[in-house]
Amino acid sequence: MRDPYSILVAGVGGQGNLVCGRIIAEAAVLQGLRPVVGDTFGASRRGGSVMTHIRIGKQDWGPLIPKGEVDVLLGFEPVEALRAAVKYAGERTVAIVSKMAIPPSNVTSGDLRYPAISDIAQGLESVCRSVHMLDTEQVLEDMGSTRVLNSFMIGALSSIEDVPLDSKNLRKAISNVLESEKDLAAFQKGAKAL
Amino acid sequence: MSKSKADVIMSGNEAIARGAVEAGIGFCASYPGTPSTEILTSLFETASKTDSHVEWSSNEKVAMESAAAASWAGIPALCSMKSLGLNVASDFLLNLNLSGTGKGGLVIVVCDDPKGHSSSNEQDSRFYAKAAQIPLFEPSTYQEAKDTVVEGLRLSKKYEIPVLIRSTTRLSHSRGLVTIGKVSAKPLKAGVLQERLYNVPAPHLRHRDLLGKIEKIAEEFERSPFNIEADITNMKLLLISSGISSSYVREALHSIPSHRIGHLSLVTSFPLPKKTIINLLKRTDRVLFIEENDPFIEDEVRGLSAELEGVPHFYGKRSGHIPSYGEMNTDIVSTRLQQLTGQQMIKTTKKESHVSDLLIERPLTFCAGCTHRNFYWAVRTVKKRLGGKLVVAGDIGCYSLGVFYDEAMDTMQAMGSGVGVGSGLGQLHRYGFDSKVVSVAGDSTFFHACLPGLINARHKNADLTFVILDNATTAMTGFQVHPGSSEQEDSLRRVRVEGLVKAVEPDFFSLGDATDIKSLTDLLHSTVQKEGLKILLLDSVCRLEEVKRIPGFVGATPVHIDRDLCKGEKCKICARDFGCPGLSWDQETNYPIVLDHVCVRCGACISVCPHDAIVEGE
Ligand code: SF4
Ligand code: SF4
């Protein structure tokens, strides 16, 4: 495996990135690896941008991913995914991004327009190796809950070839942390999403 | 915290708390503040099992005083705080260092916030260790975060000296594996206080004794296993780092091919282990310093090197090779290493992007239905009515966001400084200062630091309206209990803001309802026009705390937009100016819409629309 393997989760306060980091860290431990998870949650309660840096390896790595060294970017929100990618993505980065937008207050106020998703996807493509834009809104509606976004995204992560975490361990970590049947179903859906 | 054998995933803060439990600390006191809060939150979780005392004190100085008292009585104590909190406690600390901490032992933890992610400055609190001449630890890993608490307590007990542990945001708020040890099972019993727990009449002699202690501690630090040297034979360059910066150095060294770079990960950064460092300096002619935030170690080492015959070349913040502000990261270390060694890193290249116009900002806002927004809306309205002649002296809390809300807040510095600044502004009439003065504080901040300012304002007859936004919780940091909280544990007794402020006998006092913008605006307007010291205590609601208390809670006043009355794009007052996230501008129709999944049905926006187009009902 690549050591460290670096996963960056980007989203908006309240979306549950912190839980996502927790689950992946737990799976890494189950896998016999050492996780380091760096959270930025200073503003999470006030609807600001939130990023979680996850490093997985045989030793402890720094809590911030160096620029360009992201292996997988999990974007929980399109603009936030792009913001994170511009700062941290590189030649190796596979971006998995939920298309569901959370408009910031300068958009809801009518001052700005939220950029077109296709433009964001193009922007991501210019800085990443590959980009998967996922139609999460439909899937989550079908499942009757938007709260399972975490598990869905982790499912998608599990289907990436060089991820050093077994699906078995990811599933186990989800049940340890979230204890919900719905989440496991969302994980399965996510695993087939790419 | 989840388990794998004896290794547990912990944040730096949780590890510090665990260290306290393993060290057998029996008295923990703190005031909440990011990024330090979780230390005490974790200790609250274990308190009943370990039968220890854990409290949110009314401020950091009181926390340190209480913890020192416990230590004097023989009970090992810990107090934790954020960077700015240590400023509040420093008056006591710079006396306690001389008085000594008695038999119990006292560990002080300070969490600095480089870049000010959640702070109004990015101060380096390590200078307090130097000012107070007390030992300082800077753990670089989660494991060290735990272990330095145990070692710190040992040292504190042995030398009867307060010990400072300094973390920064990235250590406190990141997590990794920690090998845990046994929980101390030593029963604790308070003893009698020793004599002369004060520094007079000869504080200089106490100072002399303190310096003696610190010399012995420096000796111990020469042998400290926390300071780790790597690759120091034949080195062409030595890196000296501390705290989480050491983990960035270790990572950067991994991707550089040369092996002739030595590294000292320094955890005991005050007093410096001089001999260890001099020995290393003799073996290299170049040294690079990596630390957050100020050149603390760099300056100390530069001072030391005056004793050397051949002084190495120093690179760091003083030489401009490392940025003097902001956070450290691996990239900064790598860039300097490449430059100093002339070697390329093994690194993936980053593609350049040209998408910056898509990156719309995400400004922080008050939550949907937050009554602080209502208050600032009232301020804005009253300010307009007074032709702009109204200034707001602010304070620290969620309501600090008022500085972003059309700049409704004019000043914002320290906890409690709103009323202090107001006390000054309210006495400037003789110089022609003719704006009405409003000072703002939240309830937790009120207890923390507002009383001296308020008393001064009363005593000096300052012309001032002091507004307390009372939502009965410490909302900013996650709803910690404070003396005025409406719900208290059985052992605690509530102290009411109302009783306290009435005791200073203001010229005018009124309660107000912050959920009702109309009455709130009129109350504020009539109050600021009165003379003397006016106090408004506003019943406010934290919507986050509300749903935490009553899951799924929404109010009784749903709203919708009547498009026959709404002026649409010509107006936009509700979405653009008032800006509750529950309202959104619909670009397609050019009318506002209510976002049902965000709106908490408080009804506040009804009175904001000048055309009565926001109406009650689904
Ligand atoms: S404030 Fe009233 S009139 Fe103006 S846009 Fe909003 S709903 Fe329409
Ligand atoms: S009723 Fe109006 S002010 Fe209250 S939360 Fe809903 S949109 Fe916001």
Side-chain angles (χ1 to χ4, degrees), chain B residues 200-219:
Chain B
V200 287
H204 66 294
L205 297 181
R206 286 290 178 104
H207 187 197
R208 175 200 62 195
D209 298 345
L210 174 66
L211 294 173
K213 288 182 191 178
I214 212 75
E215 219 166 278
K216 285 193 192 126
I217 291 168
E219 259 322 298

Side-chain angles (χ1 to χ4, degrees), chain B residues 36 56 77 116 121 131 139 215 217 228 241 274 305 335 400 415 427 436 442 507 548 556:
Chain B
S36 73
W56 288 122
N121 76 8
E215 219 166 278
I217 291 168
I228 298 167
S241 64
K274 286 189 192 161
S305 68
T335 310
S400 302
M415 295 284 282
Q427 297 181 73
K436 302 288 177 199
D507 299 303
K548 192 171 166 274

Side-chain angles (χ1 to χ4, degrees), chain B residues 209-242:
Chain B
D209 298 345
L210 174 66
L211 294 173
K213 288 182 191 178
I214 212 75
E215 219 166 278
K216 285 193 192 126
I217 291 168
E219 259 322 298
E220 285 207 23
F221 281 177
E222 300 286 359
R223 301 181 303 274
S224 173
F226 285 109
N227 302 327
I228 298 167
E229 296 170 356
D231 300 321
I232 53 163
T233 42
N234 263 327
M235 57 183 167
K236 282 182 152 171
L237 172 69
L238 169 67
L239 270 64
I240 301 181
S241 64
S242 70

Side-chain angles (χ1 to χ4, degrees), chain B residues 368-370 373-374 543 557-559 578 580-583 594-595 598-606 614:
Chain B
C370 175
R373 178 184 294 103
N374 300 353
R543 301 295 174 190
T557 321
V559 295
F578 184 61
C580 174
L583 294 164
V594 178
L595 301 174
V598 184
C599 171
V600 300
R601 303 187 166 192
C602 71
C605 51
I606 293 174
I614 304 181

